[in-house]
Amino acid sequence: MPLVDLDRFDFLYASRVRGMKTAATRDLMATLSRPGIISLAGGFPDTRLFGEEAFREISRSIAANAAQALQYGPTGGLEAVKDVIVEVMAAEGTPADQESIFVTTGAQQGLDLVAKVFLDEGDGILCEGPTYAGALNAFAAYRPRIAHVPMDRAGMIPSAARETLKRARKQGLSVKFIYTVPNFHNPAGVTMAAERRRELLEIAEEFDLVIVEDNPYGMLRFEGEPLPTLCAIEQQEVGHPDRVVYLGTFSKIFAPGVRLGWVHAQPGILHKINVGKQGADLCSSNLSQMMLASYFKEADWRAYVRRQNSLYRERRDAMLDALAEFMPREVHWTHPEGGLFVWVTLPSYLDATAMLPRAIARNVAYVPGEGFYAGGAGKNHMRLNFSFVEPERISRGIEILAEVVRERMELRSDLERGARQGTRSGTPAGTDQ
Amino acid sequence: MPLVDLDRFDFLYASRVRGMKTAATRDLMATLSRPGIISLAGGFPDTRLFGEEAFREISRSIAANAAQALQYGPTGGLEAVKDVIVEVMAAEGTPADQESIFVTTGAQQGLDLVAKVFLDEGDGILCEGPTYAGALNAFAAYRPRIAHVPMDRAGMIPSAARETLKRARKQGLSVKFIYTVPNFHNPAGVTMAAERRRELLEIAEEFDLVIVEDNPYGMLRFEGEPLPTLCAIEQQEVGHPDRVVYLGTFSKIFAPGVRLGWVHAQPGILHKINVGKQGADLCSSNLSQMMLASYFKEADWRAYVRRQNSLYRERRDAMLDALAEFMPREVHWTHPEGGLFVWVTLPSYLDATAMLPRAIARNVAYVPGEGFYAGGAGKNHMRLNFSFVEPERISRGIEILAEVVRERMELRSDLERGARQGTRSGTPAGTDQ
């Protein structure tokens, strides 16, 4: 095949294409499957835990209905799957009924559809800073303006959100929704305190906008007490789903390979989501939905979640221990009570993106922090995943990573010393800083 | 639950929501599963033909790799699936290689991604008139202007396409692509003649735009000789994929329930599609892809396509025979050499949308023609599907439909007579026309 000019049709592409970037995690996937590499870069549950026999069981159970499994399904999902969703949401203390539930092709599609329904070009969104990179990707196609609200150990800071909204209102910016991952945040690993959840709902009421609550990890709690979802608090206060659009997923409590998630929202919003879904992919897979429904009906799904949690807890501990043991004292990190991720803060002068090739050369991978911000912040951060790698390898990976960080810090010290000496002797300061 | 105001958040929705409408076929799905109804409204392959044993076989074969089947996969699809796509495209005489192939969640997602990559608000698209309603839905989210190019028995009329493009250019409208379903068109049932395919490629060259070739039905040919795809002609002439973006699907040759399709295009375009896909749903289902790859490797997929074709041919014949036997002579229809649909033209004064409730009351359903045009044309047309219903029921359905049509025609005659008498006697003419 001849060399193809990648820009051949540049004049034909939509303007939105310029604002869309590939996710570092997705681009890294090929590298990360290289043998020998210790990847702390993924966001994978450990599906090896599921078991062949359980898989055989569920495929056997739907074979008699193969014709339906292989056919098109309803746009909003099968009733049997909606029943499962009602049960799963109840297990997190959130009431739900069939009419408020809409099945999507993973929660990622939920993000795309919510953006499609609410965002005109130039509309505003509030997100945590940092925020889930996949949400930024989904939103980017609709060209919004994104404001990051700072977080601390108790999640998004409500007073900062209120200030941002006031400023936006003064500037005449139309903010459509606040996007939040309240539990075991991706990438930050922190959980939003209960009183902040209530305050965020008040703010949404005050500014008359929607809250998009993305809760993929809520069931993956290793310690501490579960907190009520914003969706549950709202229903308790208002009596029905109103301005909270809740996104759920089966990727962590069942399997990402089936690509199934859901939106829980009031019927008016779901009606728009429904139209968007028809254009996007007609319907989600009947095959996936029937396998899922069979599993949740026949197997002990809560036990599977418990088995995952005990595995992930051990790996989180291995990661936190190794960080404490190996990292220089200038490095800080979060202590997640669940989920999949630890967020690491390097000294402000270090650039985790620039450091990555060095780490990969030494067979360790992570995700640099930049991708979790819309506007180029986050350079001195790394997201580390602990759910997919065995404890000893986590430990070894962190040890190597600490060496790479230390090297960089020493390089900086050398340069600074060189610069000071240069200044003293009258030669120009190093330009490599 | 209290009554919910459907317009509660009208002030927050994106402007695009106003241009998006639900597909008549999708909305009808609930009605159509009513027992006793003869539905000629669907677009379903008959998955009952697939067989439980074949299903058992493929699920058994992937159980050993359950952990992978349940995991996230690469954005552009598994290598094994791309190999299958190369084989399937070769079976239709179209050369392809892995680098030009990108797996999507059904061809519907291909349509969404192509629109996302190329369309700014107000950009132009040329489509056949009528065209696939699902394509109109996918495109509508990006707010293009759609020009329908008339068809005859040999497909889209190239001279009309050229005229439309000249007019658009004069008006300063930026036309991004021509969308076509060349084989056994949905809904029109006609196939584009080979010389017209070449002419369309010349036109695309002349106006420097892309052709989106949507080919879900190409393998479902009951008679006559296969024609080269536009994708094949272009590669023969230019030596590599250039301005043809080809969309394929496994929904008709394997099963819609797995939600798998593909885009074949030059790498520059696929790169943009890749970014769009990350935001839309991260990746397609590994479970679906592994079941598909196993089936195409182990089973005789060509024999399955042949079995479908012999079944659908019999049903098409039953439909054409019944139309000839029962319909009034003022009604016309197409004679498809393959695919799933016959397109019926009623006398111009009849409104197939208004007639539908009457037909459903008599237990027959079809899709009114309106949904296949962007701008309200097509009222006196019906799309009839023959692939999913047994021949005797097709025949009975057409007989009833013919009665409903005849009733409407007689009503019109009565009203006209009444109007003439009314005019003669000086009283006002009937207002029901």
Side-chain angles (χ1 to χ4, degrees), chain B residues 188-341:
Chain B
V190 301
T191 292
M192 191 188 290
E195 62 275 21
R196 290 201 179 172
R197 297 175 188 224
R198 286 176 213 283
E199 205 173 337
L200 208 61
L201 280 165
E202 283 166 26
I203 292 172
E205 176 80 31
E206 189 182 324
F207 288 86
D208 207 357
L209 38 83
V210 162
I211 292 182
V212 180
E213 177 178 31
D214 189 5
N215 187 26
Y217 315 111
M219 307 275 282
L220 303 183
R221 178 176 278 281
F222 318 146
E223 62 195 34
E225 284 306 302
L227 300 174
T229 62
L230 284 92
C231 179
I233 299 172
E234 175 180 66
Q235 289 187 74
Q236 203 171 37
E237 287 178 359
V238 191
H240 57 88
D242 188 32
R243 58 179 74 250
V244 174
V245 176
Y246 176 95
L247 304 181
T249 179
F250 287 105
S251 291
K252 277 75 196 182
I253 59 172
F254 177 55
V258 296
R259 309 305 304 122
L260 290 173
W262 69 91
V263 182
H264 176 280
Q266 54 112 319
I269 294 173
L270 283 194
H271 176 71
K272 312 294 183 198
I273 296 266
N274 180 72
V275 182
K277 166 94 176 166
Q278 287 182 15
D281 68 355
L282 294 179
C283 59
S284 294
S285 163
N286 262 12
L287 172 68
S288 287
Q289 290 183 76
M290 287 170 67
M291 288 188 77
L292 182 140
S294 156
Y295 177 74
F296 277 80
K297 194 167 161 232
E298 305 297 339
D300 187 352
W301 65 273
R302 287 179 177 83
Y304 179 54
V305 173
R306 278 196 302 273
R307 278 195 293 143
Q308 281 191 81
N309 282 346
S310 104
L311 190 80
Y312 299 162
R313 180 191 183 126
E314 191 191 348
R315 293 173 179 183
R316 177 207 60 178
D317 290 345
M319 183 170 278
L320 293 179
D321 289 350
L323 285 164
E325 185 177 348
F326 299 116
M327 280 291 171
R329 61 176 171 70
E330 293 86 347
V331 176
H332 305 280
W333 54 89
T334 53
H335 292 69
E337 294 187 319
L340 309 179
F341 305 110

Side-chain angles (χ1 to χ4, degrees), chain B residues 44-173:
Chain B
F44 294 179
D46 198 335
T47 52
R48 289 167 294 195
L49 206 60
F50 191 84
E52 277 176 44
E53 196 37 47
F55 182 87
R56 268 182 233 280
E57 200 64 53
I58 56 179
S59 12
R60 251 198 304 269
S61 75
I62 68 163
N65 300 312
Q68 191 197 347
L70 298 173
Q71 193 52 277
Y72 289 108
T75 312
L78 297 175
E79 304 290 293
V81 172
K82 293 186 185 179
D83 287 342
V84 169
I85 292 167
V86 170
E87 186 184 338
V88 168
M89 288 185 74
E92 274 204 84
T94 310
D97 53 40
Q98 286 242 358
E99 290 68 48
S100 313
I101 291 169
F102 188 92
V103 178
T104 56
T105 306
Q108 185 68 33
Q109 184 179 54
L111 290 166
D112 181 50
L113 295 179
V114 164
K116 189 180 262 188
V117 163
F118 285 106
L119 298 181
D120 282 319
E121 186 176 339
D123 281 347
I125 308 174
L126 261 59
C127 298
E128 279 125 355
T131 190
Y132 169 51
L136 291 176
N137 284 349
F139 300 161
Y142 305 95
R143 314 190 80 196
R145 292 205 239 172
I146 289 173
H148 288 290
V149 180
M151 312 167 79
D152 59 21
R153 263 179 284 183
M156 188 192 283
I157 300 170
S159 60
R162 187 177 265 115
E163 282 316 305
T164 309
L165 286 169
K166 276 189 192 160
R167 252 196 329 272
R169 184 176 273 181
K170 259 189 212 148
Q171 291 165 3
L173 185 66

Side-chain angles (χ1 to χ4, degrees), chain A residues 16 23 70 116 257 278 285, chain B residues 16 23 47 70 116 252 257 278:
Chain A
R16 79 175 59 80
L70 298 173
K116 189 182 262 189
Q278 289 183 13
S285 163
Chain B
R16 76 175 61 79
T47 52
L70 298 173
K116 189 180 262 188
K252 277 75 196 182
Q278 287 182 15

Side-chain angles (χ1 to χ4, degrees), chain B residues 353-425:
Chain B
T353 307
M355 196 174 81
L356 183 61
R358 186 82 199 111
I360 288 178
R362 299 199 52 190
N363 272 336
V364 181
Y366 59 85
V367 183
E370 254 183 301
F372 303 99
Y373 287 88
K379 278 200 200 318
N380 63 319
H381 294 273
M382 304 189 284
R383 188 192 75 177
L384 303 181
N385 165 261
F386 52 77
S387 59
F388 199 62
V389 183
E390 297 77 12
E392 321 72 63
R393 302 188 76 223
I394 288 180
S395 192
R396 178 68 190 134
I398 297 290
E399 188 179 356
I400 295 171
L401 210 49
E403 286 165 19
V404 174
V405 169
R406 218 178 287 276
E407 267 172 29
R408 287 274 149 168
M409 289 173 66
E410 280 160 12
L411 184 66
R412 153 85 179 203
S413 302
D414 289 352
L415 285 171
E416 275 188 338
R417 232 183 338 268
R420 271 198 304 278
Q421 284 167 356
T423 311
R424 237 180 289 142
S425 65

